[in-house]
Each structure stands twice: as structure tokens, then as C-alpha cells.
Amino acid sequence: MTFPSIALELPPWISDVCEPGSRYPSIEDRIDLVFNLARNNFERETGGPFGAAVFDRDGRLLAPGVNLVVPTNIAAAHAEIMAIGIAGRVVGSFDLGPTELVASTDPCAMCLGAVPWSGVQRLVCGAHTEDAAAIGFEEGDRMIDWVQRLERRGVEVIRGVKRDEGAALLSDYARSGGVIYNGRAAG
């Protein structure tokens, strides 16, 4: 008997929403893209209500990501991890250097750990952790001062960009009957 391998692929509809190298000039444009990714992900029933993307310093899209935990049964298949992994493939390095990670919601404990390891230099977030918790997601234990810790490591953090829209997206997911999954509870 051999162990199965894993392969993570973005859903085919991604090319309907964005294309590599497209420029998103403002932070608001970039957060709109990740909200659009998150909404499409749950409305098309390909995953949870989270989207992320990595951009170069000129606002060009290097890699999108969506949450694929439930359809793949891979707990690490979060939107930020997907975007960071694909961006590494695009740039040919695990060190993403002067790039920006934009996430529809504050990163969970796992994704937060990936931020400094990836080398991104700016993290932009929409909805807050409390917004995800309000619909039942448990985002893991993080240091209370996680923003300051990232900033000490050279990662600029901008939170709450269009927060109300991000929180509404999460609420829409819950109202649609989407699976609220955690380490010990699914459904």
C-alpha cells in the first residue's frame, strides 16, 4: 500500500474572475478582487468564504487563492496558503520578496505563521477575526499583538479595508447554509 499524494488546484472559474498579471491599482481594488474570489467560491460551491491574492509592488496579480478545505479534505488548503504557494511557483522562489498579500479576512493562526515565512512585505485584510467568529469559525490561538509582531519583522499590516463588506460576505455564507468547519467540528 502507498500513501496518496495531494495536489491542489484552483477551481476552473478563477479565470472568469481574474487573470495573471492584471493590475489592481488601489488597495480597494485588490480587496474587491479577494471578496469576489471568496463570494464566487461559496456561491459556486467550491469552498469556504475566504479569498486571498498576492500582488507585486505595482499591484499586478501574481496569484489568487480560495479556501478549498472542505472539498479537498485538506485542513491546510486555506486561501492565503493557496495564494502564497502559487505565487512562489510564479516567481520561482519560496521568498516572495516585495509583495503584498491581500486577504478577505484576518489570517487564522496557521496562515498568520505563513506570512513572515513567505517573505511578503505587506498584509492587507478586510473582515476581522471577530467577524469570522460571529458566524462560528474558530481561527486558532494567535498572539494578541500579532500585528505588532509582524511589523517588527518588516511586514506592514493594514486591517479593516472595507470591513463591513467582508463581514457581510461572511454572513451571507452562513445564511446560505455553508459549512462552518473547525478542527473539532464540521457542520
Side-chain angles (χ1 to χ4, degrees):
M1 178 177 163
T2 62
F3 290 106
S5 62
I6 61 171
L8 295 171
E9 293 184 17
L10 293 172
W13 58 259
I14 290 283
S15 60
D16 298 340
V17 175
C18 59
E19 58 182 79
S22 295
R23 190 163 182 275
Y24 296 82
S26 71
I27 287 176
E28 292 79 11
D29 293 332
R30 295 189 287 277
I31 203 80
D32 286 343
L33 172 64
V34 299
F35 287 166
N36 193 10
L37 290 167
R39 181 167 298 284
N40 271 278
N41 201 42
F42 76 80
E43 287 181 350
R44 295 179 189 229
E45 300 180 357
T46 52
F50 303 101
V54 175
F55 298 88
D56 71 13
R57 69 179 125 211
D58 296 319
R60 284 187 183 78
L61 177 63
L62 294 175
V66 293
N67 183 288
L68 299 173
V69 171
V70 172
T72 63
N73 293 315
I74 298 173
H78 288 207
E80 297 91 336
I81 301 300
M82 296 292 295
I84 288 168
I86 293 167
R89 288 291 188 80
V90 168
V91 302
S93 175
F94 59 85
D95 183 352
L96 299 180
T99 60
E100 173 184 81
L101 173 64
V102 180
S104 60
T105 304
D106 289 341
C108 71
M110 176 183 65
C111 294
L112 182 61
V115 170
W117 288 105
S118 70
V120 299
Q121 293 180 348
R122 180 157 68 172
L123 170 64
V124 176
C125 308
H128 284 202
T129 302
E130 297 81 8
D131 303 321
I135 67 164
F137 281 102
E138 197 281 309
E139 299 295 280
D141 294 333
R142 288 181 296 205
M143 306 280 184
I144 292 171
D145 61 344
W146 65 271
V147 171
Q148 294 79 14
R149 286 173 177 261
L150 283 180
E151 289 176 341
R152 280 196 301 272
R153 293 185 72 148
V155 179
E156 178 186 4
V157 179
I158 301 171
R159 294 179 67 213
V161 178
K162 295 188 166 188
R163 178 183 179 185
D164 291 343
E165 288 180 37
L169 187 141
L170 292 167
S171 293
D172 290 348
Y173 175 75
R175 275 193 299 281
S176 75
V179 176
I180 305 297
Y181 46 89
N182 297 305
R184 294 284 176 255

